[in-house]
Amino acid sequence: MSETKKDGSGPKKDHGVLYIGMDLGTSRTSVSASNGVRETVYSVVGYPKDVVSQKLLKKDVLFGKEALEKRLSLRMYKPLEKGVLKYTGDAKMDAEAKANLKAAQDLIGEAIRLARPRQDELVYCVIGAPAEASVKNRQAIVEAARAHVDSVMLCSEPFSVAYGLDWLEDVLVIDIGAGTTDLCRMHGTMPEEADQVMFDIAGDAVDAELCRRIEQTCPGAQFTVNMVRDIKERYGFVGDAAERCIVELPVDGKPTPFDLTDQVRAACSILIDPIVKGIHKLVASFDPEFQTKLKSRVLLAGGGSMVKGLDTAVEKAMRERLGSGKVVRIEEPIYGGANGALKIAHDMPADFWEQLR
Amino acid sequence: MAGFRESLRDVVRQLSFRTSVDSLKKRGVQQVSVLGLDRITALIEAAVHRSLKAQLVGVERAAVADATKAEFLRLLRTNEDLQRQKTASEQLRERAEEEIDQLRRELLQQQQALQQRLAPGEVAAANRHGQEDAAIVAKVADVVRSLDAGTGSQAIEQRLIELVMDVVAGERHAADAARAAAGDREVDQLQRRIKKLTENLGATEQRLQQLAAAGAIDAGISSIYRTVQGLDAAAAQVDRKKELMAAIFQANLELQNKGADGTGRR
């Protein structure tokens, strides 16, 4: 096999084929690749505010944690909101929308770089994107990826999770992201609109609720939403607490310990009710013969599924409202979508990839 | 065979990457399975051997083993080439850095020389002109006083001073112009040299940046696949998966054809 780009330029792509699966999320973007690389980066992009900060940082653009750490010197962009790009494709886009589009393109480029592709390998990429994304939005993602790979495809995010686990029939996937929670019913074919439920009570909503509760119950405590997100990721739980959430927050500049156990539990619990309502809707509208099977095959995925005890709490609520329920949390919530997308990339026939080059 | 095993161990070591326990935890990994380097090497060797034994016989097996060994050695040589290239670019970078230091020192010297040339010249000229003026005025006044004239002598003195000053100013102007021209030539020459040095410095710095960037470019990690894969005929639910792949492809073809109206596909 000896390949070059179609215009004849660029290095020979005769070394091999690198498959990349990408989960482009509101909070995190994760990649899994066929060279064994698995990386995740916070979906934030920062550009130096002025020449002085550019000289100091020695970079034109920063991503993820590094951008968050240097955010005082940067113009920060979070290019995804509620699971989709902050981009409408409208010809009269304002400067902010254009800047967000550029940030999204740079973020996708960085995610692909993180997969460490070789220049002499063909790179084929599948990106898990929300089913609700508009056509313009999805085209923007494809164009952004095209600059870095030889061929790219998009697929529905919950579908890629299920495909990655080989659960293709009578399974209900719950993907709890930062911006949205997506529920998707799989029955052996590509899911249609009626098979999906989406709502915006997800990781960001939990953060907002936790901020509100800390403000109410911890007078004088100083914090940012980033600090609150870290607390949630470290301690997030529902049901019985395995450990007390003792957290130090500054009060008038002095680190002061606070017990946030009740606040964390209450904030994380806001996820349960809408999830069970979504399950109810998808189960009730499914073929009655297969409803019991569907209830017993509920997959919990996405960063939000790392809330401890959430699977048990959803199961309990399902038993109360639907008579039965069995919820399984996937082993690697952060990489579930990316692993599935990688598997799709691997299984896609060669001529399909060629036609999209 | 021992040499081959050692090479295999080196390659496994090179292809592995390090990560911390904290990093794994952040990725949601709670438990990891650990497999030693020797064990991995032995497994690869055993798998290759088993596969060859199962599928090949006699001469064919020997030919495949030779081809595999040749391929392995080729990969090793590629790796060595990369190492050599890396060393060469590091040497280039060091040379460029030395060059930059030298250019910077020269630039500084030239700037100091120019400064020294310009600064004292102006003060010296002002002093010289003041002394000349005073001398001329004194000489004319002496001449006029020596004339034993009555009324109107002051007016005559004034007119005489003006006359002489006028002549002297003209001479002085010409002399200054000549001096300035000579100085300008020198300054111009120094400025040209500074400009050239600045350009050289800029070009060398740019080259250094390019070298640094080239050095920072990651050669990447090889995929485990040499060719495009596709669904395994023995995979579970293979027919259903084929349909799903076709559906995903069709949706993407439509999406990208719509996008191609505006931007065009490669």
Side-chain angles (χ1 to χ4, degrees), chain A residues 137-196:
Chain A
N137 212 301
R138 279 182 281 158
Q139 281 171 350
I141 295 172
V142 168
E143 285 308 316
R146 223 180 243 301
H148 309 275
V149 301
D150 294 283
S151 197
V152 59
M153 293 194 202
L154 300 189
C155 74
S156 141
E157 185 62 44
F159 171 80
S160 67
V161 172
Y163 192 89
L165 299 170
D166 256 349
W167 285 29
L168 303 176
E169 273 188 327
D170 307 324
V171 55
L172 207 157
V173 181
I174 305 168
D175 182 13
I176 310 170
T180 59
T181 297
D182 296 86
L183 282 76
C184 179
R185 188 171 64 193
M186 300 279 298
H187 44 83
T189 59
M190 285 303 288
E192 294 165 3
E193 204 172 328
D195 297 316
Q196 304 187 56

Side-chain angles (χ1 to χ4, degrees), chain B:
Chain B
M1 198 62 185
F4 177 73
R5 196 170 299 149
E6 192 55 43
S7 304
L8 190 57
R9 192 176 298 129
D10 285 346
V11 171
V12 172
R13 196 177 293 122
Q14 281 171 21
L15 291 176
S16 67
F17 63 92
R18 286 176 185 278
T19 185
S20 66
V21 176
D22 284 345
S23 165
L24 287 171
K25 278 183 183 168
K26 278 180 192 167
R27 295 180 194 176
V29 179
Q30 299 298 327
Q31 288 185 325
V32 292
S33 305
V34 180
L35 201 57
L37 199 57
D38 289 337
R39 181 76 181 131
I40 293 170
T41 312
L43 282 171
I44 293 170
E45 224 185 312
V48 171
H49 186 68
R50 257 204 312 276
S51 173
L52 289 171
K53 201 174 171 184
Q55 294 178 24
L56 305 168
V57 285
V59 179
E60 200 180 355
R61 187 188 303 172
V64 172
D66 286 346
T68 309
K69 195 174 173 185
E71 174 66 6
F72 180 74
L73 291 172
R74 187 185 68 79
L75 285 171
L76 272 184
R77 275 197 296 276
T78 309
N79 194 40
E80 282 165 8
D81 287 347
L82 282 172
Q83 287 292 343
R84 270 198 296 278
Q85 281 169 14
K86 191 181 165 199
T87 313
S89 26
E90 276 171 3
Q91 284 173 347
L92 274 172
R93 199 189 67 195
E94 278 169 18
R95 217 176 302 147
E97 276 174 349
E98 280 169 19
E99 219 173 291
I100 282 180
D101 283 346
Q102 181 62 29
L103 284 168
R104 278 192 183 131
R105 278 195 293 276
E106 279 182 36
L107 182 62
L108 190 66
Q109 282 170 1
Q110 296 293 347
Q111 280 172 334
Q112 282 170 348
L114 179 62
Q115 206 61 35
Q116 281 168 0
R117 282 267 172 207
L118 292 174
E122 289 169 14
V123 180
N127 290 340
R128 198 171 58 244
H129 294 165
Q131 286 166 1
E132 284 172 3
D133 288 350
I136 290 165
V137 169
K139 281 179 185 173
V140 173
D142 283 347
V143 170
V144 173
R145 268 196 296 278
S146 70
L147 294 172
D148 191 17
T151 54
S153 65
Q154 276 187 339
I156 292 168
E157 180 184 343
Q158 186 60 39
R159 280 174 58 194
L160 194 59
I161 290 169
E162 281 173 7
L163 188 69
V164 173
M165 288 294 281
D166 210 27
V167 173
V168 170
E171 289 297 321
R172 191 184 292 152
H173 183 72
D176 280 350
R179 263 198 300 272
D184 281 352
R185 273 197 300 278
E186 207 171 341
V187 169
D188 196 37
Q189 196 180 8
L190 282 168
Q191 282 177 336
R192 275 205 305 275
R193 291 191 68 181
I194 286 171
K195 192 181 167 196
K196 198 175 166 187
L197 280 168
T198 309
E199 281 171 1
N200 279 350
L201 185 63
T204 314
E205 277 178 340
Q206 199 179 359
R207 220 171 67 213
L208 181 65
Q209 274 176 0
Q210 283 166 352
L211 276 170
I217 289 171
D218 185 3
I221 298 177
S222 296
S223 170
I224 57 170
Y225 302 119
R226 296 299 303 268
T227 57
V228 182
Q229 298 298 297
L231 259 172
D232 184 351
Q237 306 180 72
V238 66
D239 291 334
R240 180 153 289 160
K241 284 180 179 172
K242 273 183 189 167
E243 286 169 17
L244 290 169
M245 292 300 106
I248 293 171
F249 165 70
Q250 199 55 43
N252 275 278
L253 190 64
E254 283 167 22
L255 177 75
Q256 297 189 24
N257 278 340
K258 279 181 198 165
D261 297 342
T263 53
R265 257 200 334 265
R266 280 183 302 182

